[in-house]
Amino acid sequence: MKKVAYIISGCLLVILASCDPSNPPNPNAQEVVTKLNVYCTSPTDTITFAFNDPDGVGGYTPTIDTARFFSSSSYTVSLELLDETKIPTDTITNEVLEEPTEHQFFFLISGGNLTTTYNDLDTDGFPIGLNNSFTTGTASTGSLTLILRHEPNK
């Protein structure tokens, strides 16, 4: 039986930063993200975890899943963003793909033996972060924070 040797828990966070104030306001600049699904696959393992805030900003506290990875493993990682306040559910991932130069995910690792690599680039050659690789080292425990920035200074 395989032993789970790596744990990522805690602060899975999605932040949509406001646009540059020198630009005219854009009514679609800040999308509502109620759910972030993270899909991780390796040749021997599949892990799915999520940040879920069904009522959006404010209101109830979001739920944040804990993910357990095998040590010394590599995972292909894809992210899916949803706005479940709309019927039907709006896939915000599509908006990020349509405006790749205006979005970027950042990955902050605290206390864990994990490295991340971007596997997707915008038309200017800068990372987006919807498709990535995670590589685990020796067994450890830590937290992973995911931040989505709108109009980052790439």
Side-chain angles (χ1 to χ4, degrees):
M1 177 188 264
K2 298 178 187 177
K3 290 186 179 180
V4 175
Y6 193 87
I7 300 173
I8 296 286
S9 64
C11 304
L12 177 59
L13 177 64
V14 177
I15 298 175
L16 294 173
S18 62
C19 293
D20 181 348
S22 64
N23 290 336
N26 179 347
N28 297 317
Q30 290 191 336
E31 300 85 0
V32 174
V33 177
T34 60
K35 189 167 191 177
L36 168 65
N37 291 315
V38 182
Y39 304 102
C40 308
T41 57
S42 75
T44 59
D45 195 19
T46 299
I47 299 167
T48 301
F49 58 100
F51 167 93
N52 192 14
D53 190 7
D55 64 344
V57 177
Y60 295 106
T61 303
T63 58
I64 303 167
D65 293 341
T66 298
R68 292 177 170 82
F69 296 88
F70 288 105
S71 62
S72 304
S73 297
S74 294
Y75 293 85
T76 300
V77 179
S78 62
L79 308 180
E80 177 185 46
L81 299 160
L82 302 172
D83 177 359
E84 298 175 318
T85 65
K86 295 183 180 170
I87 298 173
T89 297
D90 187 10
T91 305
I92 304 301
T93 309
N94 295 334
E95 294 179 37
V96 173
L97 289 170
E98 290 168 7
E99 302 173 335
T101 59
E102 296 181 21
H103 296 88
Q104 183 177 350
F105 274 94
F106 295 88
F107 303 87
L108 304 175
I109 300 159
S110 176
N113 194 353
L114 176 75
T115 58
T116 62
T117 305
Y118 292 101
N119 292 340
D120 54 1
L121 302 174
D122 65 21
T123 55
D124 295 328
F126 293 107
I128 304 167
L130 287 171
N131 296 297
N132 309 281
S133 297
F134 287 179
T135 304
T136 60
T138 56
S140 64
T141 301
S143 65
L144 170 65
T145 303
L146 283 76
I147 301 170
L148 174 60
R149 295 288 310 257
H150 186 263
E151 293 193 4
N153 183 7
K154 292 187 178 188

